């Protein structure tokens, strides 16, 4: 009789075997990965290396945009040859799937708006992700000095709402916070000085005594004293 006969609580089951039944061998991972090749008598052959490389790239890009260098690193870690990697990435460049210039512009806009990072910190992040220096410079050029100064002031005002301590200690911590976000000493000192001057009479009196040039030279010490607010 076709199919199987198995005793159940309600009678006999004569349905055909299903994939997943105990007597049906599951397909192995190799079965799923390999494909029949008509020229080799129908035997399975390993997938093309370029196909594997493309799948790796698409999985990486599904998480977030990536630079060409980041994708090349991911392919190398998975054992993809340099030749195949270059071919796949060249093609992705041609069709616009990867675009380091667009990546850099989006990164600068997002990280400045979301984290308040200044150009110096953003330049370091782009370099770590393999963005070419000229491409990074062009993207950073869209963040002008006025916008950077406004963001620094907004960061200070937000931190100042919960800052505690004498004006000089608060001043040093806030300048250090801005320094770690990549703001030049002059920008950081002016932002904190202006914010303190608007806070209270005591803080304004302290702000009037600030020597911006001298404090800029002490940037390293300020950074070490201000880690609690970052």
């Amino acid at each position: 009789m076709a199919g199987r006969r198995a005793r159940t609580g309600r009678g006999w089951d004569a349905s055909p075997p299903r994939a997943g039944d105990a007597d049906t061998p599951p397909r192995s991972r190799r079965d799923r990965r390999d494909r029949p090749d008509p020229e080799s008598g129908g035997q399975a052959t390993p997938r093309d290396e370029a196909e594997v490389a493309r799948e790796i790239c698409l999985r990486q890009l599904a998480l977030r945009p990536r630079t060409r260098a980041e994708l090349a690193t991911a392919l190398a870690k998975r054992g993809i040859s340099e030749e195949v990697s270059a071919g796949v990435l060249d093609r992705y460049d041609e069709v616009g799937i990867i675009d380091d210039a667009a990546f850099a512009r989006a990164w600068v806009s997002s990280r400045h708006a979301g984290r308040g990072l200044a150009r110096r910190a953003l330049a370091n992040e782009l370099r770590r992700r393999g963005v070419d220096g000229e491409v990074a410079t062009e993207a950073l050029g869209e963040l002008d000095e006025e916008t950077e100064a406004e963001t620094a002031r907004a960061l200070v005002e937000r931190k100042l709402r919960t800052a505690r301590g004498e004006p000089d200690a608060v001043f040093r911590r806030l300048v250090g916070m801005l320094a770690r976000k990549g703001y030049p000493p002059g920008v950081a000192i002016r932002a904190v000085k202006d914010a303190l001057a608007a806070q209270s009479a005591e803080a304004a009196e302290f702000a009037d005594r600030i020597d911006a040039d001298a404090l800029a030279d002490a940037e390293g010490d300020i950074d070490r004293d201000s880690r609690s607010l970052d």
Side-chain angles (χ1 to χ4, degrees), residues 171 188-198 203 207-212:
F171 174 83
I189 291 169
R190 282 194 296 273
V192 179
K193 179 177 179 177
D194 291 346
L196 284 174
D208 287 340
R209 301 195 304 268
I210 292 174
D211 185 337

Side-chain angles (χ1 to χ4, degrees), residues 12-31:
W12 292 97
D13 179 8
S15 60
R18 297 184 301 272
D21 284 346
D23 56 351
T24 304
R27 296 180 65 195
S28 68
R29 182 174 297 178
R30 181 178 180 84
D31 292 334

Side-chain angles (χ1 to χ4, degrees), residues 107-183:
W107 188 270
V108 168
S109 176
S110 173
R111 298 286 283 174
H112 179 75
R115 296 288 304 280
L117 298 184
R119 284 173 291 186
R120 185 175 65 183
L122 292 168
N124 290 335
E125 290 189 341
L126 291 175
R127 183 172 58 252
R128 288 197 297 269
R129 282 158 180 78
V131 176
D132 178 77
E134 293 184 4
V135 172
T137 298
E138 184 176 350
L140 292 167
E142 298 184 9
L143 177 59
D144 58 49
E145 294 181 0
E146 183 178 354
T147 301
E148 198 172 51
E150 290 175 356
T151 303
R153 176 66 183 269
L155 288 169
V156 170
E157 290 176 347
R158 185 163 63 247
K159 291 289 188 180
L160 200 54
R161 297 189 191 111
T162 57
R164 298 292 182 269
E166 295 299 317
D168 60 337
V170 172
F171 174 83
R172 293 171 68 85
R173 292 199 300 272
L174 292 176
V175 170
M177 178 268 293
L178 290 180
R180 291 192 298 281
K181 290 182 178 292
Y183 290 90

